[in-house]
Amino acid sequence: FSWFFSRRFAAQIRTPLALLRGAADKIAARDLDFTIDYTEDNELGELCTAFDAMRANLGDSLSRQWRLEEERREMVAALAHDLKTPLAVIKAYNETLADDTLLDEEQRGYVAVIAANVDRSAGLIQRIQDVPPLGGMLLAARLEREWTDLRAFLAEMAEALAGRARLQQVEVALALDAGLARGYLIDRERLWRMLDNLVNNALAVMRAGGRLTLAAKEAEDALLVAVRDSGPGFSAKDLRHATEQFYRGDEARGTRDGHAGLGLFIVQTLAEQMGGRVLLSNNAEGGACVTIALALEFVVEKGYNEENNDEKG
């Protein structure tokens, strides 16, 4: 009797379960153009009817959301394409300055910084075009960790920022803890992209006379690299949602034309790929602080304390 009953029960539920599984797969594939044709007068029939009703109710909202996401992806791809022209113009004029103009040593340093950032921007644009969806773009490149002198790395970034910050009358400072080791295993390109996004966000809301600080220190279990600014700081809403994709900011930081709400989302995604996370806070003296926390077990190797940390400072 048990065998017979089990076989009969299995036969009865096989069809509705297959229908529900297929319906879930279709929704996951963004296909809502279907119905669940199962109307038996039992609990599974009621479940299938309720599932079909839910599909119909979700149709409008999900379709609108999917359409909006697709439009945003197309917007990012279109902007990437359009950015190639002004970058080409900048590169051409920069090369003309380097080749045909008598420049002093400081000015040649500016020209070199412009050239390096144009090349970096061109590479990022090409990656966007190769993999249009944003998530795919961020995940496309393999993690490339290498020993990096973090002090020298942040000093290089501060030097690259100097010209842009000077135009805004913003001071750039370094706050590097004496306990930093000589080197860390870091994907240099990803870290540069993260800090570059954070710096751009900060400079966009800072006023003349402000101060932007690149800071780094070791905590108990993490390497902390932070960008602190003297701008208006984060609102309570920003602190909750600022790392979400397409979040455009509350009044405290200001919503700016052309700001797509991708900067902190990109930073968060890249930090997670490097075994870390992003922490948002406000400075006690005012302004915002965004900290990239990378787990020490991810950025150092076994024996690190003995082999690589013997000359701190």
Side-chain angles (χ1 to χ4, degrees):
F1 172 79
S2 298
W3 175 83
F4 175 77
F5 179 79
S6 299
R7 290 288 299 271
R8 185 174 181 181
F9 180 73
Q12 287 177 343
I13 68 172
R14 188 177 296 116
T15 298
L17 288 180
L19 289 172
L20 290 172
R21 188 182 301 111
D25 291 341
K26 284 181 176 292
I27 292 177
R30 301 190 174 189
D31 179 8
L32 295 172
D33 188 19
F34 66 90
T35 57
I36 300 177
D37 188 16
Y38 187 84
T39 57
E40 294 294 330
D41 187 16
N42 55 33
E43 288 82 357
L44 287 172
E46 293 175 0
L47 177 60
C48 288
T49 300
F51 195 98
D52 196 53
M54 179 191 69
R55 173 204 59 80
N57 292 331
L58 286 175
D60 290 340
S61 60
L62 285 178
S63 296
R64 186 164 51 251
Q65 177 183 339
W66 293 339
R67 185 169 60 253
L68 183 59
E69 289 179 2
E70 186 62 30
E71 289 174 354
R72 283 168 171 164
R73 289 193 183 101
E74 292 175 356
M75 177 193 71
V76 172
L79 287 174
H81 179 271
D82 292 343
L83 278 171
K84 294 177 74 174
T85 298
L87 277 178
V89 173
I90 294 171
K91 184 173 183 178
Y93 275 93
N94 193 58
E95 290 175 348
T96 300
L97 282 173
D99 295 338
D100 302 336
T101 308
L102 184 61
L103 303 175
D104 59 32
E105 184 176 351
E106 181 180 8
Q107 291 169 331
R108 289 199 171 277
Y110 293 157
V111 168
V113 169
I114 293 172
N117 281 276
V118 166
D119 290 341
R120 183 176 290 110
S121 299
L124 293 174
I125 288 172
Q126 187 60 52
R127 185 173 298 171
I128 293 173
Q129 291 181 317
D130 291 341
V131 190
L134 183 60
M137 175 195 72
L138 294 173
L139 295 169
R142 189 178 64 180
L143 196 65
E144 296 288 351
R145 296 192 299 162
E146 58 183 298
W147 278 110
T148 300
D149 182 337
L150 190 60
R151 293 175 177 277
F153 181 90
L154 293 176
E156 179 185 354
M157 169 154 271
E159 183 179 353
L161 289 174
R164 188 177 9 155
R166 190 177 295 114
L167 290 175
Q168 292 188 219
Q169 300 179 39
V170 170
E171 178 187 358
V172 177
L174 289 172
L176 307 180
D177 189 78
L180 287 176
R182 287 187 300 171
Y184 297 91
L185 277 173
I186 289 175
D187 187 312
R188 296 173 60 89
E189 180 188 352
R190 275 176 169 79
L191 183 58
W192 189 283
R193 288 171 63 188
M194 286 190 286
L195 294 175
D196 193 51
N197 271 288
L198 297 181
V199 165
N200 286 334
N201 285 352
L203 289 177
V205 297
M206 293 178 67
R207 296 181 178 178
R211 181 184 180 91
L212 188 148
T213 303
L214 301 178
K217 67 178 182 179
E218 278 193 26
E220 291 184 1
D221 60 350
L223 171 64
L224 306 178
V225 183
V227 174
R228 300 197 293 258
D229 66 59
S230 58
F234 290 119
S235 69
K237 181 180 177 183
D238 289 335
L239 292 173
R240 292 192 304 271
H241 302 291
T243 57
E244 297 174 3
Q245 188 176 5
F246 302 121
Y247 177 76
R248 289 179 58 86
D250 205 359
E251 293 80 4
R253 298 287 282 184
T255 299
R256 303 173 297 282
D257 292 339
H259 172 53
L262 292 173
L264 283 174
F265 169 75
I266 291 175
V267 174
Q268 171 79 1
T269 304
L270 294 174
E272 290 174 353
Q273 293 173 18
M274 295 176 65
R277 63 192 188 281
V278 173
L279 307 173
L280 307 181
S281 61
N282 287 315
N283 304 312
E285 65 276 13
C289 177
V290 183
T291 302
I292 302 164
L294 303 176
L296 282 180
E297 63 180 7
F298 194 81
V299 297
V300 300
E301 289 182 335
K302 189 175 182 180
Y304 143 82
N305 286 329
E306 295 77 14
E307 297 176 8
N308 302 299
N309 205 28
D310 55 350
E311 294 184 8
K312 289 185 177 180

